[in-house]
Amino acid sequence: PSRERTLYRGCDERLTSMDIESIKSKIDELLTKLPEPVVAKLDDLEKTTNQPKSLIAGGAGVFLVLLFLFLCPQPLVLNMVGCAYPIFASLKMLADDAKEELPMWITYWVIFTSFKIVMGPLDFILSFVPFYFYLKLTFLVWLFAPNIKGANWVLDKVVKVYVFPLIKDTKSD
């Protein structure tokens, strides 16, 4: 197999499973949990626009996410994106006692913390790089995205190869 294939094995199957119909059905499932006045308003909008409720709600969600990304201060966005889902997933892992996820989340939090420490002083210099903020954001999402789990890749290809040998060679007190 090609090098790219081994780096991202399993990702392509998970990414192709994200088709429009499955997204619409997930949105419809979420819409059933909304309060009755909101559902009634969405029904009215559906009749007025001749568009399905899932499309209206999905469009509103995308609009709100873009509004958040472009109008909120960048450090707030970075911390919200870098912490919101990872905190939820880490707590869910602990609640479900899912030990197979433990290395991935420990690796994510170590990378996130190191990233915040290193990027503090470098942000001034690197902020002149076009789209630098969005590159940082993409990197964090790549690390924790449930269908990609880039932190596992970093653990296997970087930490186990370069960091673990250094740690094993040191003596602990």
mmCIF file of all heavy atoms in Angstrom, residues 32-72:
data_model
loop_
_atom_site.group_PDB
_atom_site.id
_atom_site.type_symbol
_atom_site.label_atom_id
_atom_site.label_comp_id
_atom_site.label_asym_id
_atom_site.label_seq_id
_atom_site.Cartn_x
_atom_site.Cartn_y
_atom_site.Cartn_z
ATOM 1 N N THR A 32 -36.235 16.849 16.737
ATOM 2 C CA THR A 32 -37.345 16.273 17.503
ATOM 3 C C THR A 32 -37.211 16.570 18.993
ATOM 4 O O THR A 32 -38.200 16.502 19.721
ATOM 5 C CB THR A 32 -37.418 14.743 17.305
ATOM 6 O OG1 THR A 32 -36.196 14.158 17.749
ATOM 7 C CG2 THR A 32 -37.677 14.396 15.847
ATOM 8 N N LYS A 33 -36.007 16.923 19.435
ATOM 9 C CA LYS A 33 -35.771 17.207 20.852
ATOM 10 C C LYS A 33 -35.973 18.676 21.206
ATOM 11 O O LYS A 33 -35.846 19.050 22.370
ATOM 12 C CB LYS A 33 -34.349 16.779 21.233
ATOM 13 C CG LYS A 33 -34.101 15.297 21.038
ATOM 14 C CD LYS A 33 -32.672 14.925 21.305
ATOM 15 C CE LYS A 33 -32.455 13.458 21.015
ATOM 16 N NZ LYS A 33 -31.066 13.072 21.165
ATOM 17 N N LEU A 34 -36.290 19.506 20.218
ATOM 18 C CA LEU A 34 -36.487 20.935 20.469
ATOM 19 C C LEU A 34 -37.846 21.186 21.113
ATOM 20 O O LEU A 34 -38.778 20.397 20.947
ATOM 21 C CB LEU A 34 -36.386 21.716 19.153
ATOM 22 C CG LEU A 34 -35.013 21.790 18.505
ATOM 23 C CD1 LEU A 34 -35.102 22.491 17.156
ATOM 24 C CD2 LEU A 34 -34.022 22.506 19.407
ATOM 25 N N PRO A 35 -37.985 22.319 21.820
ATOM 26 C CA PRO A 35 -39.297 22.662 22.408
ATOM 27 C C PRO A 35 -40.357 22.873 21.324
ATOM 28 O O PRO A 35 -40.049 23.225 20.181
ATOM 29 C CB PRO A 35 -39.018 23.978 23.148
ATOM 30 C CG PRO A 35 -37.546 24.092 23.270
ATOM 31 C CD PRO A 35 -36.947 23.269 22.180
ATOM 32 N N GLU A 36 -41.611 22.669 21.697
ATOM 33 C CA GLU A 36 -42.735 22.740 20.754
ATOM 34 C C GLU A 36 -42.832 24.071 20.006
ATOM 35 O O GLU A 36 -43.064 24.068 18.792
ATOM 36 C CB GLU A 36 -44.050 22.428 21.485
ATOM 37 C CG GLU A 36 -45.240 22.319 20.560
ATOM 38 C CD GLU A 36 -45.069 21.255 19.485
ATOM 39 O OE1 GLU A 36 -44.541 20.180 19.771
ATOM 40 O OE2 GLU A 36 -45.461 21.531 18.331
ATOM 41 N N PRO A 37 -42.650 25.243 20.648
ATOM 42 C CA PRO A 37 -42.744 26.506 19.889
ATOM 43 C C PRO A 37 -41.684 26.615 18.781
ATOM 44 O O PRO A 37 -41.959 27.149 17.709
ATOM 45 C CB PRO A 37 -42.525 27.591 20.944
ATOM 46 C CG PRO A 37 -42.828 26.950 22.248
ATOM 47 C CD PRO A 37 -42.517 25.501 22.085
ATOM 48 N N VAL A 38 -40.504 26.089 19.030
ATOM 49 C CA VAL A 38 -39.443 26.131 18.021
ATOM 50 C C VAL A 38 -39.799 25.212 16.860
ATOM 51 O O VAL A 38 -39.627 25.572 15.688
ATOM 52 C CB VAL A 38 -38.080 25.741 18.649
ATOM 53 C CG1 VAL A 38 -36.994 25.684 17.593
ATOM 54 C CG2 VAL A 38 -37.710 26.698 19.763
ATOM 55 N N VAL A 39 -40.321 24.028 17.172
ATOM 56 C CA VAL A 39 -40.723 23.087 16.120
ATOM 57 C C VAL A 39 -41.852 23.684 15.285
ATOM 58 O O VAL A 39 -41.857 23.555 14.050
ATOM 59 C CB VAL A 39 -41.135 21.728 16.739
ATOM 60 C CG1 VAL A 39 -41.709 20.799 15.685
ATOM 61 C CG2 VAL A 39 -39.954 21.072 17.440
ATOM 62 N N ALA A 40 -42.805 24.365 15.937
ATOM 63 C CA ALA A 40 -43.912 24.998 15.212
ATOM 64 C C ALA A 40 -43.382 26.084 14.268
ATOM 65 O O ALA A 40 -43.836 26.194 13.120
ATOM 66 C CB ALA A 40 -44.919 25.591 16.195
ATOM 67 N N LYS A 41 -42.423 26.872 14.733
ATOM 68 C CA LYS A 41 -41.845 27.924 13.892
ATOM 69 C C LYS A 41 -41.095 27.301 12.706
ATOM 70 O O LYS A 41 -41.184 27.801 11.575
ATOM 71 C CB LYS A 41 -40.895 28.795 14.732
ATOM 72 C CG LYS A 41 -40.372 29.986 13.993
ATOM 73 C CD LYS A 41 -41.487 30.937 13.626
ATOM 74 C CE LYS A 41 -40.935 32.175 12.968
ATOM 75 N NZ LYS A 41 -41.965 33.017 12.413
ATOM 76 N N LEU A 42 -40.377 26.211 12.961
ATOM 77 C CA LEU A 42 -39.685 25.524 11.863
ATOM 78 C C LEU A 42 -40.676 24.940 10.863
ATOM 79 O O LEU A 42 -40.427 24.956 9.653
ATOM 80 C CB LEU A 42 -38.774 24.424 12.410
ATOM 81 C CG LEU A 42 -37.438 24.878 12.971
ATOM 82 C CD1 LEU A 42 -36.726 23.733 13.655
ATOM 83 C CD2 LEU A 42 -36.560 25.452 11.867
ATOM 84 N N ASP A 43 -41.819 24.426 11.356
ATOM 85 C CA ASP A 43 -42.864 23.925 10.450
ATOM 86 C C ASP A 43 -43.397 25.050 9.567
ATOM 87 O O ASP A 43 -43.608 24.858 8.361
ATOM 88 C CB ASP A 43 -44.007 23.289 11.244
ATOM 89 C CG ASP A 43 -43.627 21.944 11.837
ATOM 90 O OD1 ASP A 43 -42.701 21.294 11.300
ATOM 91 O OD2 ASP A 43 -44.252 21.552 12.846
ATOM 92 N N ASP A 44 -43.617 26.228 10.160
ATOM 93 C CA ASP A 44 -44.078 27.385 9.383
ATOM 94 C C ASP A 44 -43.047 27.776 8.318
ATOM 95 O O ASP A 44 -43.406 28.058 7.170
ATOM 96 C CB ASP A 44 -44.345 28.585 10.295
ATOM 97 C CG ASP A 44 -45.573 28.392 11.180
ATOM 98 O OD1 ASP A 44 -46.386 27.495 10.864
ATOM 99 O OD2 ASP A 44 -45.687 29.135 12.175
ATOM 100 N N LEU A 45 -41.770 27.807 8.725
ATOM 101 C CA LEU A 45 -40.709 28.139 7.762
ATOM 102 C C LEU A 45 -40.614 27.098 6.649
ATOM 103 O O LEU A 45 -40.364 27.439 5.491
ATOM 104 C CB LEU A 45 -39.361 28.251 8.479
ATOM 105 C CG LEU A 45 -39.112 29.525 9.267
ATOM 106 C CD1 LEU A 45 -37.846 29.408 10.095
ATOM 107 C CD2 LEU A 45 -39.011 30.708 8.323
ATOM 108 N N GLU A 46 -40.821 25.839 7.005
ATOM 109 C CA GLU A 46 -40.781 24.772 6.003
ATOM 110 C C GLU A 46 -41.887 24.954 4.968
ATOM 111 O O GLU A 46 -41.660 24.812 3.760
ATOM 112 C CB GLU A 46 -40.911 23.419 6.701
ATOM 113 C CG GLU A 46 -40.783 22.229 5.774
ATOM 114 C CD GLU A 46 -40.844 20.911 6.526
ATOM 115 O OE1 GLU A 46 -41.591 20.816 7.534
ATOM 116 O OE2 GLU A 46 -40.153 19.980 6.102
ATOM 117 N N LYS A 47 -43.066 25.306 5.430
ATOM 118 C CA LYS A 47 -44.197 25.531 4.511
ATOM 119 C C LYS A 47 -43.977 26.781 3.663
ATOM 120 O O LYS A 47 -44.275 26.795 2.471
ATOM 121 C CB LYS A 47 -45.501 25.655 5.301
ATOM 122 C CG LYS A 47 -45.948 24.355 5.910
ATOM 123 C CD LYS A 47 -47.168 24.556 6.780
ATOM 124 C CE LYS A 47 -47.473 23.270 7.529
ATOM 125 N NZ LYS A 47 -48.430 23.459 8.612
ATOM 126 N N THR A 48 -43.451 27.847 4.279
ATOM 127 C CA THR A 48 -43.248 29.108 3.574
ATOM 128 C C THR A 48 -42.157 28.994 2.512
ATOM 129 O O THR A 48 -42.316 29.505 1.400
ATOM 130 C CB THR A 48 -42.850 30.218 4.572
ATOM 131 O OG1 THR A 48 -43.834 30.283 5.594
ATOM 132 C CG2 THR A 48 -42.756 31.572 3.883
ATOM 133 N N THR A 49 -41.074 28.329 2.838
ATOM 134 C CA THR A 49 -39.918 28.281 1.931
ATOM 135 C C THR A 49 -39.882 27.047 1.038
ATOM 136 O O THR A 49 -39.072 26.979 0.120
ATOM 137 C CB THR A 49 -38.606 28.317 2.739
ATOM 138 O OG1 THR A 49 -38.546 27.166 3.585
ATOM 139 C CG2 THR A 49 -38.493 29.585 3.552
ATOM 140 N N ASN A 50 -40.743 26.061 1.314
ATOM 141 C CA ASN A 50 -40.706 24.779 0.596
ATOM 142 C C ASN A 50 -39.342 24.090 0.707
ATOM 143 O O ASN A 50 -38.895 23.422 -0.229
ATOM 144 C CB ASN A 50 -41.095 24.952 -0.881
ATOM 145 C CG ASN A 50 -42.548 25.311 -1.040
ATOM 146 O OD1 ASN A 50 -43.388 24.863 -0.253
ATOM 147 N ND2 ASN A 50 -42.851 26.129 -2.035
ATOM 148 N N GLN A 51 -38.689 24.282 1.834
ATOM 149 C CA GLN A 51 -37.408 23.629 2.124
ATOM 150 C C GLN A 51 -37.582 22.759 3.363
ATOM 151 O O GLN A 51 -38.319 23.124 4.271
ATOM 152 C CB GLN A 51 -36.302 24.666 2.377
ATOM 153 C CG GLN A 51 -35.988 25.551 1.209
ATOM 154 C CD GLN A 51 -35.384 24.777 0.050
ATOM 155 O OE1 GLN A 51 -34.652 23.821 0.254
ATOM 156 N NE2 GLN A 51 -35.715 25.176 -1.163
ATOM 157 N N PRO A 52 -36.896 21.628 3.419
ATOM 158 C CA PRO A 52 -37.037 20.784 4.617
ATOM 159 C C PRO A 52 -36.482 21.465 5.868
ATOM 160 O O PRO A 52 -35.565 22.285 5.790
ATOM 161 C CB PRO A 52 -36.231 19.530 4.271
ATOM 162 C CG PRO A 52 -35.438 19.848 3.071
ATOM 163 C CD PRO A 52 -36.026 21.049 2.415
ATOM 164 N N LYS A 53 -37.053 21.092 7.010
ATOM 165 C CA LYS A 53 -36.621 21.669 8.289
ATOM 166 C C LYS A 53 -35.137 21.434 8.536
ATOM 167 O O LYS A 53 -34.452 22.290 9.068
ATOM 168 C CB LYS A 53 -37.417 21.064 9.452
ATOM 169 C CG LYS A 53 -38.820 21.535 9.571
ATOM 170 C CD LYS A 53 -39.463 21.044 10.845
ATOM 171 C CE LYS A 53 -39.808 19.582 10.724
ATOM 172 N NZ LYS A 53 -40.660 19.085 11.796
ATOM 173 N N SER A 54 -34.651 20.262 8.147
ATOM 174 C CA SER A 54 -33.244 19.941 8.391
ATOM 175 C C SER A 54 -32.323 20.890 7.634
ATOM 176 O O SER A 54 -31.276 21.288 8.146
ATOM 177 C CB SER A 54 -32.948 18.493 8.003
ATOM 178 O OG SER A 54 -33.261 18.268 6.649
ATOM 179 N N LEU A 55 -32.723 21.295 6.432
ATOM 180 C CA LEU A 55 -31.920 22.235 5.645
ATOM 181 C C LEU A 55 -31.931 23.626 6.289
ATOM 182 O O LEU A 55 -30.887 24.284 6.365
ATOM 183 C CB LEU A 55 -32.432 22.299 4.212
ATOM 184 C CG LEU A 55 -31.601 23.103 3.229
ATOM 185 C CD1 LEU A 55 -30.221 22.475 3.080
ATOM 186 C CD2 LEU A 55 -32.289 23.202 1.903
ATOM 187 N N ILE A 56 -33.084 24.050 6.775
ATOM 188 C CA ILE A 56 -33.196 25.364 7.425
ATOM 189 C C ILE A 56 -32.354 25.382 8.703
ATOM 190 O O ILE A 56 -31.576 26.305 8.934
ATOM 191 C CB ILE A 56 -34.669 25.705 7.722
ATOM 192 C CG1 ILE A 56 -35.455 25.851 6.409
ATOM 193 C CG2 ILE A 56 -34.785 26.965 8.559
ATOM 194 C CD1 ILE A 56 -36.956 25.889 6.588
ATOM 195 N N ALA A 57 -32.500 24.351 9.537
ATOM 196 C CA ALA A 57 -31.751 24.282 10.795
ATOM 197 C C ALA A 57 -30.251 24.130 10.532
ATOM 198 O O ALA A 57 -29.426 24.759 11.207
ATOM 199 C CB ALA A 57 -32.260 23.128 11.646
ATOM 200 N N GLY A 58 -29.883 23.311 9.538
ATOM 201 C CA GLY A 58 -28.467 23.147 9.198
ATOM 202 C C GLY A 58 -27.861 24.444 8.694
ATOM 203 O O GLY A 58 -26.741 24.810 9.068
ATOM 204 N N GLY A 59 -28.607 25.167 7.862
ATOM 205 C CA GLY A 59 -28.128 26.467 7.370
ATOM 206 C C GLY A 59 -27.959 27.462 8.496
ATOM 207 O O GLY A 59 -26.983 28.213 8.545
ATOM 208 N N ALA A 60 -28.909 27.471 9.437
ATOM 209 C CA ALA A 60 -28.799 28.368 10.590
ATOM 210 C C ALA A 60 -27.594 27.987 11.446
ATOM 211 O O ALA A 60 -26.872 28.862 11.938
ATOM 212 C CB ALA A 60 -30.078 28.318 11.418
ATOM 213 N N GLY A 61 -27.364 26.693 11.600
ATOM 214 C CA GLY A 61 -26.205 26.234 12.375
ATOM 215 C C GLY A 61 -24.890 26.639 11.738
ATOM 216 O O GLY A 61 -23.982 27.125 12.420
ATOM 217 N N VAL A 62 -24.793 26.463 10.429
ATOM 218 C CA VAL A 62 -23.576 26.863 9.711
ATOM 219 C C VAL A 62 -23.373 28.371 9.819
ATOM 220 O O VAL A 62 -22.257 28.846 10.038
ATOM 221 C CB VAL A 62 -23.638 26.413 8.228
ATOM 222 C CG1 VAL A 62 -22.553 27.062 7.403
ATOM 223 C CG2 VAL A 62 -23.538 24.901 8.136
ATOM 224 N N PHE A 63 -24.454 29.135 9.685
ATOM 225 C CA PHE A 63 -24.372 30.591 9.814
ATOM 226 C C PHE A 63 -23.857 30.993 11.193
ATOM 227 O O PHE A 63 -22.984 31.853 11.317
ATOM 228 C CB PHE A 63 -25.743 31.228 9.547
ATOM 229 C CG PHE A 63 -25.766 32.704 9.753
ATOM 230 C CD1 PHE A 63 -25.188 33.555 8.817
ATOM 231 C CD2 PHE A 63 -26.352 33.261 10.889
ATOM 232 C CE1 PHE A 63 -25.192 34.933 9.007
ATOM 233 C CE2 PHE A 63 -26.365 34.627 11.088
ATOM 234 C CZ PHE A 63 -25.785 35.469 10.143
ATOM 235 N N LEU A 64 -24.378 30.363 12.249
ATOM 236 C CA LEU A 64 -23.935 30.680 13.609
ATOM 237 C C LEU A 64 -22.473 30.308 13.844
ATOM 238 O O LEU A 64 -21.731 31.042 14.504
ATOM 239 C CB LEU A 64 -24.843 30.002 14.631
ATOM 240 C CG LEU A 64 -26.262 30.552 14.720
ATOM 241 C CD1 LEU A 64 -27.117 29.702 15.654
ATOM 242 C CD2 LEU A 64 -26.252 31.999 15.167
ATOM 243 N N VAL A 65 -22.057 29.183 13.296
ATOM 244 C CA VAL A 65 -20.646 28.768 13.435
ATOM 245 C C VAL A 65 -19.739 29.766 12.725
ATOM 246 O O VAL A 65 -18.709 30.186 13.271
ATOM 247 C CB VAL A 65 -20.438 27.338 12.891
ATOM 248 C CG1 VAL A 65 -18.964 27.019 12.703
ATOM 249 C CG2 VAL A 65 -21.074 26.322 13.827
ATOM 250 N N LEU A 66 -20.114 30.168 11.514
ATOM 251 C CA LEU A 66 -19.300 31.149 10.787
ATOM 252 C C LEU A 66 -19.285 32.495 11.506
ATOM 253 O O LEU A 66 -18.243 33.157 11.563
ATOM 254 C CB LEU A 66 -19.813 31.308 9.356
ATOM 255 C CG LEU A 66 -19.573 30.114 8.443
ATOM 256 C CD1 LEU A 66 -20.245 30.329 7.089
ATOM 257 C CD2 LEU A 66 -18.098 29.833 8.271
ATOM 258 N N LEU A 67 -20.415 32.898 12.059
ATOM 259 C CA LEU A 67 -20.485 34.129 12.841
ATOM 260 C C LEU A 67 -19.544 34.051 14.037
ATOM 261 O O LEU A 67 -18.789 34.991 14.305
ATOM 262 C CB LEU A 67 -21.931 34.344 13.297
ATOM 263 C CG LEU A 67 -22.340 35.725 13.744
ATOM 264 C CD1 LEU A 67 -22.253 36.705 12.575
ATOM 265 C CD2 LEU A 67 -23.762 35.685 14.284
ATOM 266 N N PHE A 68 -19.559 32.927 14.722
ATOM 267 C CA PHE A 68 -18.666 32.712 15.863
ATOM 268 C C PHE A 68 -17.205 32.771 15.424
ATOM 269 O O PHE A 68 -16.377 33.420 16.069
ATOM 270 C CB PHE A 68 -18.994 31.358 16.504
ATOM 271 C CG PHE A 68 -18.073 30.964 17.619
ATOM 272 C CD1 PHE A 68 -18.155 31.579 18.852
ATOM 273 C CD2 PHE A 68 -17.142 29.962 17.436
ATOM 274 C CE1 PHE A 68 -17.309 31.213 19.888
ATOM 275 C CE2 PHE A 68 -16.292 29.586 18.458
ATOM 276 C CZ PHE A 68 -16.375 30.209 19.690
ATOM 277 N N LEU A 69 -16.876 32.114 14.318
ATOM 278 C CA LEU A 69 -15.484 32.076 13.848
ATOM 279 C C LEU A 69 -14.955 33.441 13.441
ATOM 280 O O LEU A 69 -13.805 33.777 13.692
ATOM 281 C CB LEU A 69 -15.344 31.125 12.658
ATOM 282 C CG LEU A 69 -15.279 29.644 12.966
ATOM 283 C CD1 LEU A 69 -15.284 28.845 11.674
ATOM 284 C CD2 LEU A 69 -14.067 29.299 13.788
ATOM 285 N N PHE A 70 -15.810 34.244 12.807
ATOM 286 C CA PHE A 70 -15.330 35.507 12.255
ATOM 287 C C PHE A 70 -15.490 36.710 13.191
ATOM 288 O O PHE A 70 -14.774 37.697 13.035
ATOM 289 C CB PHE A 70 -16.013 35.799 10.922
ATOM 290 C CG PHE A 70 -15.606 34.848 9.839
ATOM 291 C CD1 PHE A 70 -16.545 34.081 9.181
ATOM 292 C CD2 PHE A 70 -14.275 34.702 9.484
ATOM 293 C CE1 PHE A 70 -16.168 33.195 8.187
ATOM 294 C CE2 PHE A 70 -13.885 33.816 8.497
ATOM 295 C CZ PHE A 70 -14.834 33.062 7.845
ATOM 296 N N LEU A 71 -16.398 36.647 14.153
ATOM 297 C CA LEU A 71 -16.645 37.807 14.990
ATOM 298 C C LEU A 71 -16.082 37.704 16.406
ATOM 299 O O LEU A 71 -15.875 38.720 17.050
ATOM 300 C CB LEU A 71 -18.149 38.104 15.055
ATOM 301 C CG LEU A 71 -18.785 38.520 13.739
ATOM 302 C CD1 LEU A 71 -20.256 38.828 13.941
ATOM 303 C CD2 LEU A 71 -18.078 39.725 13.139
ATOM 304 N N CYS A 72 -15.865 36.504 16.901
ATOM 305 C CA CYS A 72 -15.327 36.353 18.256
ATOM 306 C C CYS A 72 -13.810 36.525 18.231
ATOM 307 O O CYS A 72 -13.169 36.260 17.211
ATOM 308 C CB CYS A 72 -15.674 34.980 18.814
ATOM 309 S SG CYS A 72 -17.399 34.827 19.257
#
